[in-house]
Amino acid sequence: KIKKLTFVNFPEIVVEGVFLGPDTITFTSPSILVPTVSSIEIALDGITFEKTGLTLNYVNPTFQNTSPSCFMRTFSSPISVTGNGFPLVPKSDCIASFQKEGVANSIKVSCIVESSTSINIPKTPTEFERTGSVNLSISFDGGDRFISTKLNLDIYVMTIENSNPSIISSNSPSFVTLFGKGFVQSNTSIAILKPWEKGQFNFGENIGEGWNLVRRVRQGENYWHPTSDHLSGSSIYGKFENNYLANSTFSIAFNTTEFDEFLFASGDLKKWLIVSKKEILKTGDNILFNVTKSSKSSISTLTQWRNSASNLEDPIISISDYSSASLTNDFLYRGYSTSIPSSSEIVSSLQSNGGMNVFIRKRAVIATAIYVDETRLMFLTPFGMNGGIYDVFIQMGNGQPLIQSTRQLSVLPRVSS
């Protein structure tokens, strides 16, 4: 049975209570705009009010701190607000307002009162166009009235300024600490270590980035690569130009370079394939090679090539099986130019596609990034990294932008025991 309750200090305020049993009545307290202590009267018959000797103490909420004290402009992250006297209102009634100085409109987001001393803002807004300071206000009545917390939050563009150590060994995993500002906590943060060398090429999403040009046959040439090193990288000839459309044929040594993948590509990038270095080491007359991806397939495929030590022109690399590649003009690599027939099917790709190139690269290394605080992140480098210089990037959650460190990481070459 519904009962009526009233407040002595505010006789005009009457709320309905719910009778749960002989010793329990529940009711929702009304909003009071000023701090006060209010006595409670109850009318069990809905008409005659009697004193209960009970009071409700209305206090102004006080706000003490936010953690963290900053958030990234382009990334939503949680913020915890601590204080006292927070009313335990429904989620729909608790709203946080972010007001930037000099900006007329504030940005509002939902928040959750977890206790009388804690408020959780699950996601900070991402609509701010500039960095700077914002004032935080909280509403407990669905946005009708906001109370200033008198707490300011700084909006950062996350930066990574240093790392410790900056030089590590590739023989064993190492913990690396990144120092910066604006870091936020995320269960899906990762560190991406991209090998860096001067003159690398970035060919977009399909082919990828970090490619180093090592060998080329110019457009218009009637013969393939003038080498019989079976792609070991020991041959050196011609004048190197870091230009995959250069009017020259050349090769630089890459037999002592640490790398993981080959890219065979025409100068116009219409014909290409990526294959691991490990696959190229296979030998035989009719071997199935696992092609990572190509201009004809975005997924890995098995393609038949030839790579025999007794054939000086090998390996024969083609997008389709090498036995039929002349019909589809799919050859991307052959060696020992003097032994190549001059039929139009074999040399046509050299005549019309900008020549043919060989690139190599070390794959990027991915590690889980561990949040320490808003100025520090940590990650553990994986075992067996290639030696060299790496650009360090952090991604603070799925789909978030990559943030590059201003400090590169040096990895010493592996040392055999």
Side-chain angles (χ1 to χ4, degrees), residues 94 125 151 156 206 216 222 227 234 237 245 292 342 346 394:
C94 188
L151 299 174
Y156 280 125
N206 288 332
R216 170 170 171 77
N222 292 322
T227 175
S234 59
Y237 51 84
L245 289 171
T292 304
S342 59
I346 292 179
I394 292 295

Side-chain angles (χ1 to χ4, degrees), residues 11-23:
E12 75 280 5
I13 300 176
V14 178
V15 298
E16 290 187 345
V18 179
F19 183 76
L20 299 182
D23 57 359

Side-chain angles (χ1 to χ4, degrees), residues 13 19 22 63-64 118 133 140 151 170 235 238 272 346 364 398 416:
I13 300 176
F19 183 76
F63 303 90
Q64 298 173 346
S118 177
S133 179
F140 298 103
L151 299 174
S170 59
S235 293
W272 58 269
I346 292 179
N398 294 330
S416 300

Side-chain angles (χ1 to χ4, degrees), residues 354-371:
M356 285 294 168
N357 302 288
V358 179
F359 301 85
I360 60 173
R361 75 172 176 186
K362 290 180 286 189
R363 288 191 297 266
V365 177
I366 298 177
T368 299
I370 304 169
Y371 175 85

Side-chain angles (χ1 to χ4, degrees), residues 42-345:
I42 185 170
L44 294 177
D45 58 3
I47 300 174
T48 305
F49 289 91
E50 299 178 1
K51 294 181 178 180
T52 64
L54 304 176
T55 60
L56 282 178
N57 186 13
Y58 279 85
V59 298
N60 274 337
T62 58
F63 303 90
Q64 298 173 346
N65 198 8
T66 62
S67 180
S69 61
C70 61
F71 62 94
M72 190 174 172
R73 181 175 64 84
T74 57
F75 180 76
S76 289
S77 59
I79 288 181
S80 177
V81 182
T82 57
N84 289 291
F86 301 154
L88 300 178
V89 298
K91 180 179 179 180
S92 58
D93 287 346
C94 188
I95 298 173
S97 173
F98 295 80
Q99 181 72 55
K100 198 171 189 298
E101 291 185 14
V103 178
N105 297 324
S106 63
I107 299 176
K108 299 176 177 62
V109 297
S110 296
C111 50
I112 302 170
V113 181
E114 296 185 332
S115 69
S116 62
T117 60
S118 177
I119 296 172
N120 177 34
I121 304 174
K123 292 184 177 182
T124 53
T126 58
E127 292 90 341
F128 291 107
E129 295 181 357
R130 298 181 182 87
T131 58
S133 179
V134 294
N135 179 261
L136 176 65
S137 298
I138 301 292
S139 171
F140 298 103
D141 57 6
D144 291 338
R145 184 171 64 102
F146 282 90
I147 304 172
S148 174
T149 65
K150 298 183 180 180
L151 299 174
N152 289 328
L153 291 162
D154 289 326
I155 308 172
Y156 280 125
V157 173
M158 191 180 80
T159 59
I160 308 170
E161 299 165 352
N162 207 345
S163 65
N164 185 33
S166 60
I167 302 175
I168 63 172
S169 170
S170 59
N171 281 51
S172 60
S174 301
F175 273 108
V176 177
T177 301
L178 299 177
F179 299 91
K181 61 183 180 180
F183 298 151
V184 294
Q185 193 163 10
S186 171
N187 294 329
T188 57
S189 296
I190 57 174
I192 303 175
L193 312 180
K194 296 183 179 182
W196 176 89
E197 286 186 29
K198 186 178 180 180
Q200 288 178 332
F201 291 100
N202 180 3
F203 294 122
E205 183 177 353
N206 288 332
I207 302 178
E209 60 187 357
W211 293 107
N212 297 288
L213 179 63
V214 293
R215 186 168 290 183
R216 170 170 171 77
V217 175
R218 69 179 179 88
Q219 179 171 302
E221 189 63 74
N222 292 322
Y223 303 97
W224 285 89
H225 301 273
T227 175
S228 57
D229 69 354
H230 298 278
L231 274 177
S232 67
S234 59
S235 293
I236 304 174
Y237 51 84
K239 183 180 180 181
F240 174 76
E241 295 182 55
N242 197 33
N243 177 1
Y244 55 88
L245 289 171
N247 186 31
S248 57
T249 297
F250 55 78
S251 179
I252 61 173
F254 55 91
N255 55 325
T256 60
T257 303
E258 292 189 17
F259 66 97
D260 306 303
E261 291 181 309
F262 280 100
L263 165 65
F264 301 93
S266 60
D268 60 9
L269 300 178
K270 291 182 178 180
K271 297 174 180 290
W272 58 269
L273 67 80
I274 298 172
V275 64
S276 71
K277 178 183 178 182
K278 183 178 179 180
E279 284 293 304
I280 294 296
L281 297 177
K282 291 180 179 179
T283 58
D285 289 336
N286 294 287
I287 301 296
L288 288 175
F289 289 79
N290 187 10
V291 176
T292 304
K293 61 193 307 189
S294 72
S295 51
K296 289 191 174 180
S297 176
S298 60
I299 61 175
S300 61
T301 55
L302 291 176
T303 305
Q304 190 180 65
W305 297 338
R306 193 185 74 188
N307 189 15
S308 174
S310 60
N311 291 302
L312 296 179
E313 66 177 295
D314 290 359
I316 299 177
I317 308 295
S318 53
I319 300 174
S320 56
D321 291 345
Y322 85 96
S323 59
S324 59
S326 61
L327 302 176
T328 53
N329 195 21
D330 277 347
F331 287 115
L332 295 180
Y333 185 90
R334 299 181 84 149
Y336 199 55
S337 58
T338 55
S339 67
I340 299 298
S342 59
S343 63
S344 60
E345 291 86 1

